[in-house]
């Protein structure tokens, strides 16, 4: 059996949220269809995005330290990660936040 046939070909997602309960919910929903990476803060998210090059990033807006908006700005400013799509995951309901 070749190594290629044993590799997991599911798309890889990076899920970023400082709330463990939110990470657990997303893991439960997504784990069957995607290879998942998790980060609880912005600096780790940036590190994983650069190293692993996920196909998509699910990014919480409100996090301590670096906000999701700041993480996204850094991702988009770097040619290595600029093309990775980002979906914000937030409980914020204000249209301005969205």
């Amino acid at each position: 059996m070749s190594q290629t046939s044993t590799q997991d070909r599911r798309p890889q997602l990076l899920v970023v949220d400082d709330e463990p309960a939110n990470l657990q919910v997303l893991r439960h929903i997504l784990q069957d269809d995607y290879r998942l990476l998790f980060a609880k803060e912005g600096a780790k998210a940036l590190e994983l995005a650069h190293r692993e090059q996920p196909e998509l990033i699910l990014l919480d807006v409100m996090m301590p330290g670096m906000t999701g908006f700041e993480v996204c700005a850094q991702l988009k400013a770097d040619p290595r990660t600029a093309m990775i799509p980002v979906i914000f995951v937030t409980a914020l309901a204000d249209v301005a936040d969205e």
Side-chain angles (χ1 to χ4, degrees):
M1 183 178 269
S2 72
Q3 182 178 358
T4 305
S5 64
T6 62
Q7 288 180 339
D8 189 342
R9 296 190 178 275
R10 294 175 298 167
Q12 184 166 256
L13 271 58
L14 172 55
V15 182
V16 186
D17 198 311
D18 61 314
E19 290 292 329
N22 294 345
L23 292 175
Q24 283 293 89
V25 167
L26 289 169
R27 181 188 63 79
H28 180 72
I29 293 168
L30 300 169
Q31 69 183 350
D32 291 340
D33 298 312
Y34 301 94
R35 291 178 293 132
L36 300 173
L37 301 166
F38 297 98
K40 292 183 181 178
E41 48 95 18
K44 182 66 172 180
L46 292 170
E47 174 191 324
L48 285 170
H50 289 121
R51 186 176 71 227
E52 301 294 334
Q53 294 291 304
E55 280 81 7
L56 176 68
I57 299 173
L58 300 179
L59 182 58
D60 184 21
V61 172
M62 298 303 299
M63 296 184 295
M66 191 182 306
T67 69
F69 295 128
E70 292 167 325
V71 172
C72 187
Q74 287 193 33
L75 288 166
K76 297 307 175 185
D78 187 323
R80 297 172 295 169
T81 54
M83 298 305 293
I84 301 172
V86 175
I87 296 176
F88 285 111
V89 178
T90 183
L92 298 175
D94 189 337
V95 172
D97 292 320
E98 291 182 21

